[in-house]
Structure formats: structure tokens, C-alpha cells
Amino acid sequence: MAKEKVSEGSIRQKNKAIIFNAAKKEFVTYGFKGASIKRIAERANIARANIHYYFKDKTDLYQQLLSSIIAVWNNDYDTLTADKEPKQVLSDYIRAKVMHAKNDPDASRIFASELIHGAPVLNEYLHSDFKIWLQSKVNVIETWIKQGLIDDVNPHHLLFLIWSSTQHYADFNVQVVAALDKEAMSDDDFDAVVSSLTKIILKGCGIQ
């Protein structure tokens, strides 16, 4: 019985991942209003009924997709604790965020679009769980400041800077490649982004 439950859970997780990947392309291309379950099913190469088996409607799919994106991002920083060295923690976080921009740019674009449109789906989250999560990170940064491990910087603006600078390479990639006179960014380009942002941000925090 336990093996059956694990198997069912694995199948469910796999199928939802396939649907999420197809939904990302659809929402990025057409936005929430223009997206259709029919095209998402075609992109995922599954029957439309299979999508409705996991999601009530397009809104439910969109809400769960946003939640999954946020969960992945937050997990990158959930290891942040006051007893860890800020240099390593911030360096790792910057790299993780840049790699998300490289490997899953659509997730960043969907999140950005949601906020640009006034966060109709995420509004409640932004005023509840997000604020609790954010405050826990702010508390750690403030502890670092009190311990003299980093300069007295505004914790909120430090986080805003990391988010905006790393996600820029996903949300505004068309502008970036045009500015760099490239057709697409290579692995070396993204490594250079990590190196540059890490150096600039750490130095701004007074970290050698």
C-alpha cells in the first residue's frame, strides 16, 4: 500500500511538472487573460481532461504555478541563518538567483508580469506569508550588521537589489543580448554575471 501511494504521488508530481512547464510558455506568450487550457494541453501533449484532473480551472492552475515558483525561490534562501558567514550566504544566493534567470527565465517573467499588473492573485500572499518570510531574512541581515560582519545597509534594499539585478537577465534578456551584441547569452556570460554582481554587492556591504 505504501509503495502504491508513493507511486501515485510520483506520477502526480511528474504530470503537474509537465503541465507547469507548458503553462509557463503559454502565460509568457499570451498573459493570463489570453492563455487557454486548450493550448496548454497541446503544449504538454496531454488530454485537456488531464489538466482539469489536477486543476479546477485556468485560475487555479495559474495560482498553483505562481506558488511553485515562489516555493523554489524561497528555498534558495531558507538556509540563511545568523550563524553563517554572510559572504558565503550572499554569494550562494546571488549565484542561485542568476542560475534561475538562466535555466527558468519564464518563471521570472510570469512573476514580474503578475506584479506589474497589480498582483491580483498574489496580493494576499504579499501581505501575509511573504511579509513573515521576508522579515525573518531581514532579522538575520540586521544581526550581521550588529555583529559588524557587514556594513550598516538597509536589509530591504539589499534584498531588492539582489532580486532586481539577478532577475534582470531573465525579464529583460532581449535588451541584455542586444546591448552585448549577442544572439543569446552563453554559460560563460552567466558566470560573468555571477562574478560581477557578487563583487559589486559584497563590496557594497563592506565584505572583502
Side-chain angles (χ1 to χ4, degrees), residues 88-145:
Q88 190 62 52
V89 173
L90 293 175
S91 297
D92 289 345
Y93 188 47
I94 292 167
R95 171 169 287 280
K97 291 292 290 178
V98 171
M99 289 303 105
H100 280 308
K102 171 190 173 185
N103 299 322
D104 194 8
D106 288 343
S108 182
R109 292 165 187 158
I110 291 170
F111 182 81
S113 179
E114 166 69 11
L115 298 191
I116 289 171
H117 288 88
V121 170
L122 289 180
N123 188 61
E124 181 179 344
Y125 162 76
L126 291 175
H127 291 86
S128 55
D129 292 349
F130 169 72
K131 294 185 73 172
I132 296 172
W133 178 88
L134 178 61
Q135 187 58 50
S136 69
K137 310 311 169 190
V138 167
N139 291 343
V140 172
I141 295 172
E142 288 178 338
T143 298
W144 286 342
I145 294 171

Side-chain angles (χ1 to χ4, degrees), residues 23 29 43 77 116 122 136 165 187 207:
T29 304
R43 289 177 186 273
Y77 217 18
I116 289 171
L122 289 180
S136 69
S165 61
D187 290 346
I207 300 174

Side-chain angles (χ1 to χ4, degrees), residues 86-87 90 149-151 199 201-208:
K87 180 178 181 178
L90 293 175
L149 298 177
I150 66 174
D151 287 350
K199 182 177 181 179
I201 293 172
L202 293 188
K203 189 171 183 179
C205 292
I207 300 174
Q208 295 297 319

Side-chain angles (χ1 to χ4, degrees), residues 29 35-36 66 83 91 98 101 120 146 164 170 173 186:
T29 304
S36 78
L66 283 171
D83 61 346
S91 297
V98 171
K146 291 177 182 177
S164 61
N173 189 260
S186 66

